[in-house]
Amino acid sequence: MSQNTFQIKAGLAQMLKGGVIMDVVNAEQAKIAEQAGACAVMALERIPADMRNSGQVCRMSDPQMIKEIMATVSIPVMAKCRIGHFVEAQVLEALEIDYIDESEVLTQADRLHHIKKDVFKVPFVCGARNLGEALRRIAEGAAMLRTKGEAGTGDISEAVNHINLIQGQIAHALALTTDEEVEAYAKELNVSLVLLKQLIADKGKFPVVNFAAGGVATPSDAALCMQMGCDGVFVGSGIFKSKNPAKLAKAIVNAVTHYNDPVKLLEYSTDLGELMFGVSVAELKPEQMLSTRGY
Amino acid sequence: MTELKHITIGVLALQGAFVEHIRHLANAIKNGQYEEYHFSFPQVKTPEELATCDALIIPGGESTAMSLIAERTGMLSPLMDFINLEKPVWGTCAGLIFLAKQCVNGKEGQHFLGGMDIEVTRNAFGRQMDSFIADLDFSDFIDGVNMFPTTFIRAPVVSKLLDPPGAIHKRDTEASIIYSKNTYCNPHKVQVLKLLEDRNGFIVAVRQGNKLGTSFHPELSADSRFHKWFVDEFVLGKSY
């Protein structure tokens, strides 16, 4: 029997499809998320909105906190390590975490390299802004992708932007007619020719699932990403920065299931109370953007 | 020309890997054996969609999420009614959990459809790091399938067959058992189809009449023979 195979890693992500993965900072929030119907939780010390404001170095969370969350809920628990910080990843693997997010939300540890993920037994999810990043992460062994969006803003525009960009680039790749063109495009994207050819052979379908992330704050945001073709949704700051987290969490879970039914979405969107404050991405300076971390 | 028989096999699409099942169903009926039938394999999210189905597959996913969404969106009673109408149902992984009469390691507020007289234990092998792939021999019940690639992901197992059927088993020592509220009594006997000798003898596939439960995910393999068997044996009630 083999355990360290891609299918097991990517398979768990397939089981998360049509679901919502919620950021939580303690066991109490994890419980609320689970009871709302989250298909997994992301354990972290501070939610992105707070990290964004802190101006500090953001690292992997204290394993003690992650352990408490793992002991509290029975759904999969994910945790973040810094981009390129393979030792944080080793520590999380030793903790037997279910999924690692190599995340731009934390301060980058390596400005040039991402973690070589295929040598780990634990599966990884990674963010991508464009097809180049997506295929490079897959080449490194990522078993799940998510859009980067712009975490901690409550502004969905960057996630939408990344979804559109990736889909546009896939369409471009599928329209290429000669081997030379495909080769040139692989060069332009700085990705492996083999992976690009595989993507084209698979009619543009990634070998891993692709979730939306970064800026999802409402049931409609979540349904928008689903209608645009994402397999599921990460919600970070949106839920626990709102006035009624339990209610909003349930509404977003319902919205991801019934993303194509406006009458139901109307019901889920109604009377949610005050939502997270939100920061418009257009107002951010380039150095304040988290999604530009990584390459 | 004789009229085609319409057969609708729905896949519950509240959360999880439902698309994979639909793909396999479509693949399973591709050869020429099914000329007298017209199949459809819809995603099922609402009571109206469920009402069109002759049979149902409950996919893998997160069993707590699936149960909570079913409850909140008014699907719990229709799903129990579907079972009570003696329609064929197959649950994989989270679907197996959902089909059970009782569950160890379930969560407060989690519901069970009670279609099979079994107790399931969630996450019986451990966390994701304990997930595995195994080639299993199913030739005892599926002709010629002696090497089938099965994926176990944070998988549940059948930890007890409830005997006599329909009885619930209170265990004083384990407070964490949650029981189905469905009073349905499956008229058939539970059959163990597969257990893993090298892993505590864990039971990973069971059948009770036209209900089928598997701990593993045939839908994650590239092999559609398990789905073909479900269609032939459970839905059409004949072997080719």
Side-chain angles (χ1 to χ4, degrees):
Chain A
M1 293 190 191
S2 94
Q3 289 191 320
N4 186 15
T5 68
F6 183 72
Q7 193 185 324
I8 295 168
K9 296 174 174 182
L12 176 56
Q14 283 171 277
M15 295 308 136
L16 302 175
K17 284 193 302 183
V20 182
I21 301 168
M22 302 182 192
D23 279 3
V24 296
V25 299
N26 55 42
E28 190 196 342
Q29 288 187 354
K31 219 171 168 180
I32 293 173
E34 183 172 51
Q35 283 167 355
C39 63
V41 289
M42 176 76 69
L44 69 180
E45 238 153 29
R46 281 178 292 184
I47 52 176
D50 292 333
M51 288 193 241
R52 172 175 290 289
N53 294 331
S54 74
Q56 296 166 342
V57 175
C58 296
R59 313 182 180 96
M60 175 188 82
S61 299
D62 188 321
Q64 181 58 36
M65 182 274 289
I66 302 173
K67 250 189 215 169
E68 281 167 22
I69 290 173
M70 288 167 70
T72 303
V73 296
S74 62
I75 52 180
V77 179
M78 303 182 166
K80 290 181 193 287
C81 72
R82 284 177 266 178
I83 290 175
H85 205 315
F86 52 86
V87 175
E88 282 187 349
Q90 290 165 4
V91 171
L92 290 172
E93 181 170 76
L95 182 64
E96 301 208 336
I97 197 81
D98 295 308
Y99 239 93
I100 295 176
D101 183 2
E102 184 184 21
S103 177
E104 69 283 358
V105 167
L106 304 181
T107 311
Q108 232 171 313
D110 188 326
R111 293 199 196 89
L112 294 178
H113 308 98
H114 284 252
I115 296 171
K116 195 170 152 38
K117 291 166 274 286
D118 52 2
V119 298
F120 284 81
K121 195 170 148 189
V122 62
F124 281 76
V125 54
C126 288
R129 282 179 299 167
N130 53 50
L131 185 56
E133 289 189 351
L135 291 180
R136 285 195 291 277
R137 298 298 85 79
I138 290 169
E140 294 153 1
M144 178 177 184
L145 292 174
R146 55 172 175 76
T147 60
K148 283 182 172 172
E150 191 55 36
T153 59
D155 183 343
I156 196 67
S157 63
E158 276 302 288
V160 168
N161 188 21
H162 297 160
I163 296 168
N164 279 332
L165 182 57
I166 290 173
Q167 286 175 353
Q169 289 175 313
I170 289 174
H172 178 81
L174 291 178
L176 300 174
T177 48
T178 67
D179 280 356
E180 290 73 31
E181 284 175 348
V182 175
E183 231 166 276
Y185 198 45
K187 244 181 215 150
E188 184 190 326
L189 294 174
N190 189 19
V191 297
S192 125
L193 179 61
V194 176
L195 271 182
L196 185 62
K197 279 187 170 163
Q198 188 61 47
L199 183 76
I200 294 168
D202 293 339
K203 299 183 181 120
K205 209 188 151 311
F206 286 129
V208 298
V209 307
N210 187 20
F211 271 46
V216 177
T218 69
S220 294
D221 287 347
L224 174 67
C225 297
M226 294 299 290
Q227 286 197 24
M228 291 181 77
C230 290
D231 293 312
V233 172
F234 282 87
V235 188
S237 319
I239 289 172
F240 289 101
K241 278 286 176 192
S242 75
K243 279 280 147 53
N244 194 344
K247 191 171 184 185
L248 178 60
K250 283 179 193 167
I252 292 180
V253 168
N254 293 349
V256 167
T257 296
H258 291 289
Y259 66 88
N260 255 335
D261 185 335
V263 176
K264 288 200 162 75
L265 293 175
L266 166 66
E267 179 195 330
Y268 304 146
S269 304
T270 303
D271 196 24
L272 293 173
E274 201 177 314
L275 300 177
M276 86 176 275
F277 44 85
V279 179
S280 165
V281 169
E283 302 299 316
L284 295 177
K285 299 189 187 84
E287 65 271 23
Q288 291 175 305
M289 299 283 281
L290 301 179
S291 57
T292 52
R293 293 175 177 172
Y295 76 101
Chain B
M1 192 177 151
T2 54
E3 213 167 299
L4 294 177
K5 287 183 206 153
H6 284 259
I7 302 281
T8 302
I9 306 174
V11 181
L12 190 65
L14 300 177
Q15 189 272 322
F18 41 87
V19 177
E20 287 79 350
H21 275 294
I22 291 171
R23 206 175 296 142
H24 272 299
L25 286 169
N27 199 36
I29 54 124
K30 257 186 187 158
N31 66 41
Q33 298 168 352
Y34 303 99
E35 279 162 353
E36 53 184 309
Y37 298 102
H38 178 271
F39 286 98
S40 31
F41 308 121
Q43 294 184 15
V44 173
K45 293 178 196 271
T46 65
E48 296 73 35
E49 287 161 348
L50 183 61
T52 67
C53 295
D54 301 302
L56 183 73
I57 294 179
I58 308 177
E62 274 307 311
S63 64
T64 51
M66 223 179 269
S67 157
L68 289 163
I69 296 167
E71 186 185 13
R72 284 207 296 267
T73 59
M75 279 296 277
L76 214 46
S77 301
L79 283 167
M80 286 183 185
D81 293 344
F82 193 85
I83 279 171
N84 303 357
L85 286 169
E86 299 293 345
K87 294 200 181 177
V89 182
W90 172 20
T92 61
C93 195
L96 165 71
I97 296 171
F98 211 6
L99 261 183
K101 272 269 181 215
Q102 61 187 59
C103 174
V104 177
N105 203 12
K107 277 283 158 174
E108 194 191 324
Q110 189 172 356
H111 292 275
F112 303 92
L113 301 177
M116 298 183 84
D117 291 302
I118 52 172
E119 173 191 276
V120 291
T121 297
R122 287 180 70 212
N123 303 343
F125 297 93
R127 305 194 69 94
Q128 171 63 10
M129 293 284 278
D130 306 299
S131 294
F132 61 96
I133 291 178
D135 285 326
L136 298 184
D137 181 355
F138 296 140
S139 57
D140 283 352
F141 55 98
I142 312 178
D143 256 358
V145 179
N146 54 12
M147 254 257 279
F148 192 93
T150 55
T151 314
F152 291 78
I153 294 176
R154 291 167 47 88
V157 298
V158 177
S159 44
K160 208 172 186 355
L161 308 183
L162 305 180
D163 189 35
I168 56 168
H169 284 231
K170 301 271 182 196
R171 286 204 219 165
D172 298 337
T173 48
E174 291 173 68
S176 67
I177 297 183
I178 303 177
Y179 303 92
S180 170
K181 294 192 173 76
N182 192 358
T183 53
Y184 167 73
C185 202
N186 190 318
H188 303 274
K189 210 172 146 48
V190 184
Q191 274 175 275
V192 174
L193 297 175
K194 191 73 199 170
L195 54 79
L196 300 181
E197 281 103 5
D198 55 348
R199 289 183 183 253
N200 305 330
F202 278 153
I203 299 170
V204 296
V206 285
R207 171 180 193 168
Q208 188 174 10
N210 61 8
K211 308 291 187 284
L212 172 66
T214 56
S215 302
F216 48 85
H217 297 281
E219 74 277 17
L220 290 188
S221 72
D223 194 327
S224 297
R225 286 179 297 173
F226 213 101
H227 287 77
K228 176 169 165 33
W229 178 64
F230 177 70
V231 173
D232 292 346
E233 180 83 17
F234 291 73
V235 183
L236 303 180
K238 57 174 124 179
S239 297
Y240 287 90

